[in-house]
């Protein structure tokens, strides 16, 4: 794909995730900026990304962003912690300049890292995320870069995404795994006063997380990303009016998935509390799975 193939007309803001969790990011953005148009793309056929290699995540993310660019997006938000951790930097530095230097791809880790210093008072912060995000140490790097006095401890929670996507977030079966990972985190550092939910699925588990933390460590701050990412995006557009002018305003949303449209619509209800119309699309290797 080359720059001359890309439309220069105003287009929607793209939001990409490997699955459904990015819908929590989209919801936060839409609450703050309902006037814009959006395209949400979930690569559900190849999810989850959390256990995949850096190379595979970068390749899948490139295919998704390229697709959103071709659909008219000048700005794409990686509403996926794993993609933000494993693919964003190389994409910004190496790939974008070759395609169209005027387009932008933003992640969701830095907005969270930027505000964490104003939330924690003990200067001990926990991160709960997928194995891939924890292994990348992206939160440690971005937080310590801004706040060298903050100690960051991460714990992977491999069972939380399957629980959410199988509609078990509110069921009794989730209790064991919620408590298990929270105990692991507090054993690693009992001075933590703030927990970052470093996966966009995890807000669906907040009631259980809050209940367990109230028992184990009362007064803990729980940081969900949707609000902070939305505020960061709004600030970005305010600081870059040239990009703001390229974002169309009609209040419309398109939902795309590399999986079954019907399946996506059903599960999206868990995150959006409404049924939405969905289109199935093909990205690279997903052609063999649809």
């Amino acid at each position: 794909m080359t720059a001359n193939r890309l439309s220069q007309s105003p287009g929607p803001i793209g939001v990409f995730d490997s699955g459904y969790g990015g819908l929590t990011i989209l919801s936060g953005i839409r609450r703050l900026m309902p006037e814009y148009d959006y395209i949400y793309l979930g690569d559900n056929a190849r999810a989850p990304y959390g256990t995949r290699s850096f190379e595979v995540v970068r390749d899948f993310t490139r295919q998704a962003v390229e697709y959103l660019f071709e659909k008219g997006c000048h700005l794409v938000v990686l509403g996926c912690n794993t993609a933000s951790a494993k693919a964003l930097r190389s994409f910004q530095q190496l790939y974008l300049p070759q395609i169209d230097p005027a387009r932008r791809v933003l992640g969701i880790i830095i907005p969270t890292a930027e505000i964490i210093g104003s939330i924690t008072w003990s200067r001990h912060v926990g991160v709960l995320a997928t194995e891939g995000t924890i292994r990348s140490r992206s939160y440690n790097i971005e937080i310590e870069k801004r706040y060298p006095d903050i100690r960051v401890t991460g714990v992977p929670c491999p069972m939380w995404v399957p629980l959410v996507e199988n509609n078990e977030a509110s069921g009794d079966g989730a209790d064991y795994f919620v408590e298990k990972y929270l105990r692991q985190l507090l054993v690693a550092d009992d001075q933590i006063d703030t927990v970052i939910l470093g996966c966009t699925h995890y807000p669906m588990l907040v009631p259980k997380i809050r209940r367990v933390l109230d028992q184990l460590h009362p007064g803990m701050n729980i940081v969900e990303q949707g609000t902070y990412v939305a505020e960061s995006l709004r600030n970005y557009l305010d600081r870059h009016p040239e990009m703001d002018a390229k974002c169309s305003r009609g209040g419309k949303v398109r939902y795309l998935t590399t999986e079954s449209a019907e399946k996506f619509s059903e599960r999206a209800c868990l995150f959006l509390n409404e049924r939405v119309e969905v289109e199935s699309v093909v990205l690279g290797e997903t052609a063999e799975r649809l």
Side-chain angles (χ1 to χ4, degrees), residues 2 20 25 27 30 75 92 96 103 124 132 143-144 151 174 177 191 198 203 209 228 249 263-264:
T2 57
Y20 303 95
I25 299 297
S27 294
R30 290 186 66 201
L75 173 64
Q92 291 174 329
L96 265 182
R103 303 208 177 218
H124 290 251
I143 291 174
E144 291 165 5
R151 175 181 172 181
F177 290 104
Q191 296 185 58
I209 294 171
Y228 300 111
R249 292 163 171 78
K263 179 179 178 181
F264 183 95

Side-chain angles (χ1 to χ4, degrees), residues 102-257:
R103 303 208 177 218
R104 292 291 180 268
V105 179
L106 305 177
I108 59 177
I109 292 176
I110 289 178
T112 309
E114 289 175 338
I115 57 88
I116 205 66
S118 64
I119 297 175
T120 175
W121 55 267
S122 72
R123 316 311 276 177
H124 290 251
V125 171
V127 178
L128 301 169
T130 65
E131 180 184 343
T133 298
I134 296 299
R135 193 167 59 244
S136 75
R137 300 191 78 253
S138 294
Y139 276 98
N140 303 64
I141 293 168
E142 295 300 339
I143 291 174
E144 291 165 5
K145 184 190 305 181
R146 293 162 177 79
Y147 306 102
D149 62 318
I150 293 180
R151 175 181 172 181
V152 181
T153 301
V155 167
C157 307
M159 288 300 298
W160 283 10
V161 169
L163 285 169
V164 170
E165 294 204 348
N166 286 283
N167 199 20
E168 294 291 339
S170 59
D172 294 339
D175 293 342
Y176 170 81
F177 290 104
V178 169
E179 182 170 346
K180 175 182 178 179
Y181 300 134
L182 291 175
R183 284 190 179 276
Q184 288 180 6
L185 183 66
L186 293 174
V187 166
D189 183 356
D190 62 3
Q191 296 185 58
I192 289 172
D193 74 337
T194 301
V195 175
I196 296 172
L197 303 185
C199 174
T200 52
H201 283 71
Y202 296 177
M204 304 298 292
L205 290 163
V206 163
K208 289 186 180 294
I209 294 171
R210 170 56 64 198
R211 184 164 61 250
V212 173
L213 286 177
D214 284 348
Q215 297 171 356
L216 301 178
H217 202 304
M220 186 82 73
N221 300 309
I222 299 176
V223 176
E224 301 178 51
Q225 296 175 295
T227 298
Y228 300 111
V229 171
E231 292 173 351
S232 178
L233 179 59
R234 175 71 274 176
N235 180 263
Y236 177 86
L237 293 174
D238 286 343
R239 290 184 290 107
H240 295 86
E242 74 286 354
M243 178 56 69
D244 189 50
K246 296 178 181 179
C247 299
S248 59
R249 292 163 171 78
K252 299 178 181 178
V253 187
R254 289 180 65 192
Y255 295 93
L256 311 178
T257 178

Side-chain angles (χ1 to χ4, degrees), residues 58-109:
R58 284 197 294 264
D59 187 43
F60 287 179
T61 302
R62 178 189 59 78
Q63 293 171 8
V65 172
E66 191 172 273
Y67 187 91
L68 289 170
F69 282 169
E70 291 178 343
K71 292 300 179 182
C73 299
H74 296 269
L75 173 64
V76 174
V77 177
L78 301 185
C80 173
N81 282 275
T82 302
S84 295
K86 293 185 175 182
L88 179 61
R89 182 168 298 182
S90 62
F91 198 95
Q92 291 174 329
Q93 295 177 351
L94 302 177
Y95 189 61
L96 265 182
Q98 301 175 17
I99 305 176
D100 186 345
R103 303 208 177 218
R104 292 291 180 268
V105 179
L106 305 177
I108 59 177
I109 292 176

